[in-house]
Amino acid sequence: MKAITVFCGSSFGSLKIYEDQAYLLGQKLAQRNIKLIYGGANVGLMGAVANGAVKNRGTVIGVLPNFLKEKEIAHEHLNELIIVETMHERKTKMNELSDGVITMPGGFGTLEEFFEMLTWAQLGLHKKPLAILNIDGFYDDLLHLVQNMVDNGFLKEVNQQMIIVSDNIDELLNRMVLYKSPFEEKWVTKKP
Ligand code: AMP
């Protein structure tokens, strides 16, 4: 993996561990020579993950919609800040630039971004690993809901299994490297 998109809150959240882990994730991406692609802002966990990478000489690319430049305050020390017009363009650009996604605690925006990438994956539009850094059980209830979707016949288990979950950054990154998309496997087994 050469580049990873991180989706996370534009707020810090109520526990210090969220910010600490965001910074640490940025640092570990830099140490592994993996480019950080993110929303380009200097607020909340978004700013923390960027700072972790920037301070450890990582490469960071922000993708920020023009109209959010003031509200989310663009980070001033990125290697590149790509300004786009719409939220849709933002997600498309981030997808183009990265080989996988890590989602950290966040709000509606974070979930929207992650679920859009999941829906693209289940349609086979990309084969990238999609991971949740489940800090302090933040996403436990969401993962129960996803199990509920499977139990009630709205989601295939194979698509549920696309989500890589861990509360440990190194484990998450190692599992992302090993990830095989269900589309890839189907294609492979079809070969004689
Ligand atoms: P939040 O998790 O609500 O704090 O938002 C985190 C990031 O998601 C922020 O940069 C938001 O601008 C971004 N965001 C919110 N809605 C969307 C959307 N529809 N498409 C792309 N990014 C979004």
Side-chain angles (χ1 to χ4, degrees), residues 7-11 39-41 43 46 63-65 67-68 71-72 86-88 90-91 94 105-113 116:
F7 295 137
C8 59
S10 53
S11 311
V43 293
M46 297 171 75
V63 185
L64 191 62
F67 73 94
L68 273 181
K71 189 162 170 264
E72 294 199 342
T86 66
M87 297 305 235
H88 288 103
R90 179 194 232 180
K91 281 176 292 193
M94 290 168 102
F108 284 164
T110 301
L111 281 191
E112 196 275 344
E113 291 170 318
E116 179 135 29

Side-chain angles (χ1 to χ4, degrees), residues 4 10 34 70 103 121 156:
I4 287 184
S10 53
I34 298 173
E70 265 140 56
T103 300
K156 289 185 187 141

Side-chain angles (χ1 to χ4, degrees), residues 3-38:
I4 287 184
T5 287
V6 174
F7 295 137
C8 59
S10 53
S11 311
F12 280 113
S14 51
L15 302 179
K16 179 79 168 57
I17 192 175
Y18 302 139
E19 182 185 355
D20 293 347
Q21 288 283 300
Y23 187 92
L24 190 62
L25 175 58
Q27 181 176 347
K28 287 197 183 262
L29 292 177
Q31 286 164 351
R32 287 186 184 225
N33 231 345
I34 298 173
K35 230 185 263 175
L36 167 67
I37 316 296
Y38 87 115

Side-chain angles (χ1 to χ4, degrees), residues 62-132:
V63 185
L64 191 62
N66 206 6
F67 73 94
L68 273 181
K69 254 192 335 199
E70 265 140 56
K71 189 162 170 264
E72 294 199 342
I73 312 162
H75 199 294
E76 288 180 349
H77 302 289
L78 308 179
N79 298 84
E80 196 181 346
L81 181 67
I82 300 172
I83 301 295
V84 292
E85 286 311 310
T86 66
M87 297 305 235
H88 288 103
E89 269 182 63
R90 179 194 232 180
K91 281 176 292 193
T92 304
K93 188 46 118 185
M94 290 168 102
N95 180 38
E96 268 170 32
L97 293 174
S98 72
D99 308 311
V101 167
I102 296 178
T103 300
M104 297 193 63
F108 284 164
T110 301
L111 281 191
E112 196 275 344
E113 291 170 318
F114 185 61
F115 274 92
E116 179 135 29
M117 287 299 287
L118 266 178
T119 57
W120 291 357
Q122 88 177 349
L123 293 170
L125 298 177
H126 71 77
K127 296 178 180 140
K128 301 172 189 185
L130 304 174
I132 288 180

